[in-house]
Amino acid sequence: MTDSLQAASSPPLRGTIEVPGDKSISHRALILGGLARGETRIAGLCESDDVLRAAAAVRGFGARVERVGPGEWLVEGCCWRNPDAPVDCGNSGTAARLLMGAAAGFAIEARFVGDESLSSRPMERLLAPLRQMGARTEGSRLPVTIAGGGLGGIRFVNAAASAQIKSAILLAGLRAEGEVEVIEPVRSRDHSETMLSAFGCDIEVRDGGVVLGSNRKLVGTAVDVPGDPSSAAFPLVAALIVPGSEVSARSVMVNPLRAGLIETLREMGADLEESNRRTVGGEPVADLIARFSSLRGVEVPASRVPSMIDEYPILAIAAAFAEGTMVMRGLAELRVKESDRLAAMVEGLTACGATVRSEGDTLIVEGRGRPVPGGAAVAARSDHRIAMSFLVLGLAARGPITVEGAATIATSFPGFGESMRSLGARIGPAV
Ligand code: S3P
């Protein structure tokens, strides 16, 4: 992909798209497959840079990981061994954190490295509980070295409502002696729990927590990866803000623990229709249709953060086109994502002529119910969701938007430009 992309005011967006497989589920399918006895067959894997890092890493730990067709992968798990080289997680926090947890279960030593963005993100929040279980760790940000094996149990309170930390502890717990419990005051996405159970592990999801049972052996299985709601968010919001649009996204996962954006957009007055609800890979899935809508600003409570943690950038774009004040509370975690997303949204939206500010961990956008001026250049900050958010803004703004560093989009949504163009979006190389 060209590294600078430009998005310009577009005609009504129309058509149907398939978004990539869910990134969270793709990571888990590869890692659980790599830990399981026998063969795991994955269909619909998200073949983005982040997920390919996880595939290479699992192979480096000794598992057989083979691509047999587009989105189709075979994994044969094993007892993990010392990798020959540092485990390079690129831009992916999910790969780094889940792999660290999984590796900690084995009597091996592995060094984890990543790109500049990932190397600036906090890891201590997960290394501390892994140490409590008995792992030895070095470094609090990447590069981090983990020496594992001989782990004991843990009772961990997941105060940050982070599915990555929860999953890392559960994966380490697969090879630990003793009770492993993660308490969740606010629930985070539950894909690890669902998939561990599908791989044959005893796991109990109670009110307010998760406990591993006594049978923690994984057996390979088939995993069908549903469409990623965090990727579908971009074409759907584009349809809501480009006049005359109607866009349908097929087979999108609608797990309630990931559905905060849909709920919020509906509160804003979005015409968002769901049809053909079914189950794919143990997850609820539906086709979603978005039509251009007059949106209004609303208050989004902090309690909704875990179910739409990755969607605030694109929600803030929708808010800039809405009428009235949009208040999004409890966004402290946004500061430690692929970029400081609070700062990125305030800076980018301001450059585009929108009225926006942050107060502590609250983001406030004053919408005027009409297109924002646009006509600006915005840096992607090694953050795929920042890049896609501002390209979507450019489709409905008065002046074009250039996103610098747009190659980062491939970390979650390879083919984003082509998919959007197929709907009529004017996105292309910056001139
Ligand atoms: C993810 C969990 C979220 C999310 C990330 C993917 C996962 O991170 O932001 O993109 O797959 O578990 P946190 O759990 O750290 O909030």
Side-chain angles (χ1 to χ4, degrees), residues 156-418:
F156 177 77
V157 179
N158 190 15
S162 163
Q164 292 179 350
I165 301 178
K166 169 176 66 179
S167 303
I169 293 169
L170 293 175
L171 291 175
L174 292 177
R175 297 177 58 85
E177 294 284 341
E179 174 125 327
V180 174
E181 179 174 11
V182 180
I183 317 269
E184 291 211 284
V186 183
R187 286 186 78 191
S188 61
R189 64 189 70 188
D190 59 357
H191 311 308
S192 295
E193 295 89 309
T194 304
M195 207 183 284
L196 280 167
S197 173
F199 274 77
C201 174
D202 284 346
I203 179 162
E204 193 191 330
V205 180
R206 302 179 182 152
D207 223 17
V210 190
V211 186
L212 287 181
S214 52
N215 174 25
R216 301 179 186 175
K217 298 249 176 303
L218 304 187
V219 181
T221 185
V223 182
D224 228 344
V225 184
D228 194 330
S230 300
S231 295
F234 299 101
L236 293 174
V237 168
L240 296 176
I241 63 173
V242 174
S245 299
E246 177 171 325
V247 166
S248 147
R250 293 220 339 241
S251 295
V252 181
M253 180 175 47
V254 288
N255 181 324
L257 295 169
R258 296 281 298 278
L261 177 73
I262 301 289
E263 191 182 347
T264 305
L265 289 171
R266 284 193 172 132
E267 287 172 4
M268 295 171 74
D271 180 352
L272 259 174
E273 196 181 305
E274 185 188 306
S275 66
N276 198 13
R277 201 178 242 264
R278 56 209 183 272
T279 301
V280 173
E283 296 280 353
V285 159
D287 300 334
L288 299 174
I289 302 175
R291 300 182 187 88
F292 173 71
S293 305
S294 296
L295 301 174
R296 56 181 175 275
V298 296
E299 283 232 10
V300 190
S303 58
R304 205 171 291 164
V305 170
S307 67
M308 57 181 298
I309 181 75
D310 292 332
E311 280 66 78
Y312 282 95
I314 190 65
L315 179 62
I317 301 294
F321 289 81
E323 174 89 55
T325 307
M326 180 94 176
V327 182
M328 293 161 266
R329 298 191 192 280
L331 306 188
E333 279 293 302
L334 259 60
R335 297 222 183 260
V336 290
K337 291 295 176 187
E338 286 83 329
S339 69
D340 176 345
R341 287 181 173 161
L342 263 186
M345 292 317 293
V346 171
E347 222 178 278
L349 279 171
T350 303
C352 295
T355 307
V356 57
R357 66 184 189 282
S358 61
E359 285 173 8
D361 63 359
T362 300
L363 180 64
I364 301 161
V365 180
E366 307 280 358
R368 288 187 219 115
R370 57 173 191 268
V372 300
V378 175
R381 301 174 175 227
S382 302
D383 190 329
H384 49 132
R385 301 198 206 281
I386 295 300
M388 288 186 277
S389 294
F390 282 98
L391 289 171
V392 167
L393 179 143
L395 304 178
R398 291 206 295 277
I401 299 295
T402 300
V403 170
E404 290 153 0
T408 186
I409 290 171
T411 62
S412 67
F413 198 158
F416 170 76
E418 291 84 334

Side-chain angles (χ1 to χ4, degrees), residues 53-106:
R53 295 282 182 182
V58 171
R59 198 180 285 126
F61 283 114
R64 183 163 78 92
V65 181
E66 211 180 301
R67 183 178 193 262
V68 289
E72 289 204 24
W73 291 65
L74 279 183
V75 184
E76 214 177 288
C78 65
C79 193
W80 287 17
R81 61 164 165 77
N82 284 338
D84 296 334
V87 181
D88 188 350
C89 298
N91 188 253
S92 179
T94 309
R97 294 184 176 127
L98 270 58
L99 286 164
M100 285 186 204
F106 295 91

